[in-house]
Structures are given as structure tokens and as C-alpha cells.
Amino acid sequence: MKKLLALIALASLSMSAYADIFAVFREADGSTKWQYVANTTASVLIISLVIALIFLIRAHLRSMRANRALTDIKATLEDRVANRTAVLQATTEQLVEREAYIASIVNSMPVMLIGLNQQLHITQWNKKAEEITGRPLKDVVGKNLWEAYAAITLTQEQVKSVLESGETLTLKHAQRGQYSFDITLYPLDNHADTGLVILISDVTKQVNAENKVAERDKVSAMGELASAMAYDISLPMQTILSRVTRARQELEAADLGEVKEFLLQEVETVRLSAHQATAIAQNLLDLAGSHRDSKQLADVPPIMDRSIALATDLFTDADSLAFKHINIRRNYASPLPQIPCFPAELEQVFVRLMRNSFYALNAKTWDDNNKPWINIEIGEFYDSLWIKIEHNGKCLSPSEQLDIFQPFFAITNHESTCPVEQRLSYSYFIITDHHRGQMAVTSDEQYGTCFNIQLALS
């Protein structure tokens, strides 16, 4: 291009050297040299065409090189795009597989798993959570936890404290004899964006198994202690009965005047007390062997009758009321089904209720118009057997009604309203834990005191 411009400039300078630039195309007489004009025009046209051809060839060559470069770039880009697409597809498949694998792990977990974000909205909800709550993931995802599962035993404050502190929180929630749960809340890495996870484990079977082992050990130790105590008590009682019998014989044979009748009465009182102590020792032996590994079908009314007979032997106040003088009203429905139970344990429960009633009746003063009584009712109601033991003795105060089924601890600072000898914690334990039943008490001055026991028929 630079050479062409130089040539044009040179031609212009050369032409300017002539006075008439067209003189070369004229004859001496002033006529035009048409042949010369034609030859010059043709030469200029050919030169122009050659120059244009050269430029076109150069442009074509450059375009071919550019096209080849573009083709190479296109092929390279296509290869890169194909490779990148293959990598993305493989990565997507891996992510899908990993997500499915993680979802499989989460859904196969035997614990309830709930994922929450910072707004306490549900992000994860496994199969166990669906089974327990009855709500599928699609119905709860994105909702507030307490809207989706109002029965959960967690507060928003507890969850927020884990999010704020970033520390794992472990809680236990249990209802004795019914269920036990371990609840763990732990924040995820970068929990500012991800939130936390709640794990709820049902450990009821484990806790029940551990309780059974502990209970068996306690019962075994208590049985050994009761047996030893019964044996230790029976030895001096046998001596006392033997000496009392001999003393009675000697008193009857002796001539002591007016004192003789008084001494015989006192000896009889000692004999009855010794007999009562012997019955207590025997009851301890029965208690030691009362618990068995499996229940058996039994009729409750005969168990109640045996308990009344045993209470008659056990409970006698030498200076006041004897159990045999109490009016026992028995109201047993008929027929009554047998229930699975531990008969010896139920007998111990009934005896202790008789004992409690006996002391309550002894705490009142009686006359001919007001006699002590114990009313016993046994009946069937739907799928349960109901037992009522009611008396008209001294009633329980509201605080005593709260304490009577609670264990007694001598080291506690709480001032107990119910004396340990009148408590029914072991009876309550037998009914609620060993027999999966219910036990309650009501008491007031007008209607007396009533112990209610509910036992399942199966």
C-alpha cells in the first residue's frame, strides 16, 4: 500500500513538470492520438486490475489463514466444551449417587433425624421421623419445627442456644414405665449457613432392660435381707413363745389369789404379740420369695381374702383396736376374669393397704354409733380390673396424698408429711412397674379414704 502511494505521488510530480499534461496524447497538428490513448488506458486498467488481483489474493490468503485459525479454535472450544460437559455430567452423577447414598443412610437410621436451618425451618426429615409423626417429608419441609411436630419435647430457646453457642446439647426425656428418649442437638460446620441437626433416639427397650437387671439385683438383695431378718426374728420369738407357754402353765397351777387373773391376761397379751411377730417374720419370708420372672393367671378375690386373713394375724393393737374387730365389707363382682400377675406381690400390696387402713382407723375414737369399717370392691370395667379399698378412718391431708406413694429418703432436707411406716412407695412400684397398672388415692372427711387400683386384663 505504501509503494502504491509513492508511485501515485511520483506520477503527480512528473506530470506537474509539463506545461500540458495531455500533450503526449496530441499530434503535432493538435489532433488526438487515439491509439496512444487507448493503449495507455488499457495499460492503466490492466495495471489496476493486477494490483486489485494482488490485493484480493492477499486478502483471500489472509481470510483462509483466519478461517483455518477459527476452525482450529472452534475445534479446540468444542473439545473443551465436550470435556467440560463430560466432567460436569460425571460430577453430577457422582453428586446424585452421593446424595442418594447419604439419603439412604439417613433414612435407614433407627433414630429420628431432623435438620433445621437458621430460621428453625425443617430441611431434613428421615423415614423414622415420618413413622413417628405420621407426616411425610413433602408436608413438613420448609415449615417451622413446632408447627410440623408440636409434640416434640424441645423448646425454641434450647435450639437457639445451640445455634448461638455452637456446642452440642444432650437431653433425656422419659416417662417411667412408658418411654425413654435421648435427644442430641449438634450444630453443623459453618452453622451460620447450615443450621443444626436433632437426633431423637428411642432407648426405651435399653432402659427397661437395664432397669430389669437393676431391679432383679435389688429384689435379690432385699430377699436375702428379708430372709436373714425373718430368721433372726423367729429364733427369739420361738424362745418367747416357749417361755410364755411354760409361764402360763405355772401360773394356772399356782395359787396367787386376785393377782393370778391379771398375770394370766398379761401373759396372754405377750403370747399374742409373740404370735404376731412370728406372722411378721413369715410375711418377710413370703416377701423374699414373692417376685418371679414370669406372670401367671390368677383370680384376684382369693388373693384379697388371703391378704385379709394375713392382716388379721399381723395387725393387733394390744391397747386399742385389733384388725379382726374391724367390719370388712367385701363386694366382689361375679364372674371376674383371671389376670396375668405376680400373686404373692399383689398379696403384699393388699396387706400394706390393710395396714395403712388399720393405722388410720386406730387414729380415731369409736363408739356404738360409729364403727370402723373397710369396704373392698373388685369389678371389671372395659379392659381393666378395678380394685377399691376404702375406710372411714383418719383422712389424709393434701400433702400426705402427694407423699404417700413417694420413696422415703432419710438424708433429704424435705420435711416429710407422711411417716415412712405409712408410705406405700413399694406397693406403688409393684402396681405400676411390675404390673403396668395404675394406683391412686382420694381422701376427705365426708367420704373417707379410698385407694384405687387398675390392672390390665391382658
Side-chain angles (χ1 to χ4, degrees):
M1 189 67 183
K2 293 180 180 179
K3 293 179 179 181
L4 179 60
L5 293 175
L7 181 61
I8 294 173
L10 180 61
S12 300
L13 292 174
S14 300
M15 289 180 179
S16 62
Y18 294 93
D20 186 359
I21 61 174
F22 298 106
V24 68
F25 300 108
R26 294 189 181 93
E27 295 290 349
D29 57 359
S31 61
T32 302
K33 297 179 181 181
W34 293 109
Q35 184 64 39
Y36 193 80
V37 171
N39 291 337
T40 302
T41 304
S43 299
V44 172
L45 180 59
I46 291 171
I47 292 170
S48 299
L49 290 174
V50 170
I51 293 172
L53 180 62
I54 292 171
F55 276 103
L56 288 174
I57 292 172
R58 291 184 64 186
H60 178 67
L61 293 175
R62 284 197 298 270
S63 65
M64 288 180 64
R65 287 195 297 271
N67 287 335
R68 283 197 299 271
L70 288 174
T71 301
D72 294 340
I73 293 172
K74 180 181 178 182
T76 302
L77 288 175
E78 289 178 349
D79 291 340
R80 290 181 178 179
V81 170
N83 292 335
R84 184 64 58 84
T85 301
V87 171
L88 289 175
Q89 185 175 359
T91 303
T92 302
E93 291 176 355
Q94 291 179 357
L95 290 175
V96 171
E97 291 177 356
R98 291 180 181 178
E99 183 177 355
Y101 178 65
I102 293 173
S104 176
I105 293 175
V106 169
N107 287 326
S108 62
M109 292 176 68
V111 300
M112 185 175 177
L113 185 146
I114 303 173
L116 300 180
N117 59 17
Q118 285 290 314
Q119 290 72 40
L120 307 185
H121 293 163
I122 297 172
T123 58
Q124 186 60 257
W125 189 265
N126 69 347
K127 291 293 184 183
K128 194 66 175 180
E130 292 182 355
E131 293 175 7
I132 294 176
T133 62
R135 304 196 64 181
L137 173 63
K138 62 181 181 180
D139 290 348
V140 299
V141 66
K143 292 185 177 180
N144 182 274
L145 173 60
W146 289 268
E147 294 178 0
Y149 184 34
I152 191 168
T153 56
L154 284 175
T155 64
Q156 295 192 30
E157 290 72 19
Q158 290 173 324
V159 177
K160 289 179 179 179
S161 67
V162 173
L163 287 173
E164 293 172 357
S165 65
E167 297 180 355
T168 301
L169 176 63
T170 301
L171 303 170
K172 292 185 179 295
H173 179 67
Q175 182 68 35
R176 182 171 177 174
Q178 298 184 19
Y179 57 80
S180 297
F181 290 97
D182 286 344
I183 305 175
T184 305
L185 298 86
Y186 62 90
L188 300 174
D189 292 339
N190 192 21
H191 61 274
D193 297 325
T194 53
L196 57 79
V197 168
I198 301 173
L199 291 178
I200 304 177
S201 306
D202 187 352
V203 293
T204 304
K205 293 183 179 179
Q206 177 185 347
V207 171
N208 288 342
E210 292 174 352
N211 288 341
K212 284 184 178 180
V213 172
E215 177 187 321
R216 183 185 62 190
D217 294 340
K218 290 179 181 178
V219 169
S220 177
M222 186 176 64
E224 182 180 344
L225 177 62
S227 298
M229 291 178 63
Y231 181 77
D232 293 341
I233 292 173
S234 64
L235 289 177
M237 285 301 102
Q238 291 175 4
T239 303
I240 292 173
L241 283 172
S242 175
R243 296 295 178 87
V244 166
T245 301
R246 187 185 308 170
R248 181 181 179 86
Q249 293 173 352
E250 292 180 357
L251 284 173
E252 289 177 345
D255 184 12
L256 300 176
E258 296 180 357
V259 180
K260 181 177 179 179
E261 188 65 27
F262 171 76
L263 292 176
L264 287 174
Q265 185 177 357
E266 291 298 313
V267 169
E268 180 63 17
T269 301
V270 173
R271 190 190 69 80
L272 291 175
S273 298
H275 180 73
Q276 182 182 4
T278 302
I280 293 173
Q282 184 60 45
N283 188 44
L284 280 175
L285 287 173
D286 294 340
L287 174 62
S290 63
H291 187 65
R292 295 292 182 266
D293 292 333
S294 60
K295 296 179 180 179
Q296 64 184 74
L297 289 175
D299 292 311
V300 174
I303 299 175
M304 182 64 74
D305 291 338
R306 290 197 302 270
S307 302
I308 295 172
L310 181 57
T312 303
D313 292 335
L314 290 178
F315 308 133
T316 300
D317 191 331
D319 299 325
S320 183
L321 184 67
F323 192 86
K324 63 183 179 180
H325 296 146
I326 299 173
N327 181 22
I328 307 295
R329 306 172 184 171
R330 310 183 200 205
N331 183 13
Y332 305 158
S334 181
L336 286 174
Q338 292 183 325
I339 65 169
C341 64
F342 302 107
E345 290 190 358
L346 285 184
E347 183 176 310
Q348 292 296 325
V349 171
F350 299 154
V351 168
R352 280 163 173 72
L353 291 175
M354 300 295 174
R355 181 179 185 273
N356 185 279
S357 302
F358 172 72
Y359 284 111
L361 293 169
N362 261 292
K364 290 184 68 173
T365 302
W366 308 100
D367 53 39
D368 293 337
N369 297 323
N370 187 20
K371 297 290 186 179
W373 52 260
I374 295 177
N375 183 44
I376 302 173
E377 295 183 17
I378 303 176
E380 181 183 359
F381 187 74
Y382 289 103
D383 58 349
S384 300
L385 195 72
W386 286 82
I387 303 166
K388 294 175 61 176
I389 299 178
E390 186 179 8
H391 65 79
N392 62 339
K394 181 183 178 182
C395 69
L396 298 171
S397 67
S399 58
E400 287 174 333
Q401 294 179 50
L402 293 176
D403 283 348
I404 195 168
F405 297 132
Q406 299 300 318
F408 179 80
F409 297 99
I411 60 174
T412 182
N413 292 326
H414 171 62
E415 184 177 352
S416 174
T417 58
C418 188
V420 61
E421 65 273 7
Q422 296 182 20
R423 285 174 180 259
L424 298 169
S425 60
Y426 186 63
S427 300
Y428 185 82
F429 174 78
I430 290 175
I431 295 298
T432 58
D433 274 47
H434 285 188
H435 293 81
R436 297 292 184 263
Q438 301 293 332
M439 187 173 182
V441 63
T442 58
S443 183
D444 62 39
E445 292 289 348
Q446 182 178 358
Y447 299 103
T449 300
C450 182
F451 293 97
N452 296 275
I453 298 175
Q454 178 189 4
L455 297 173
L457 295 180
S458 58

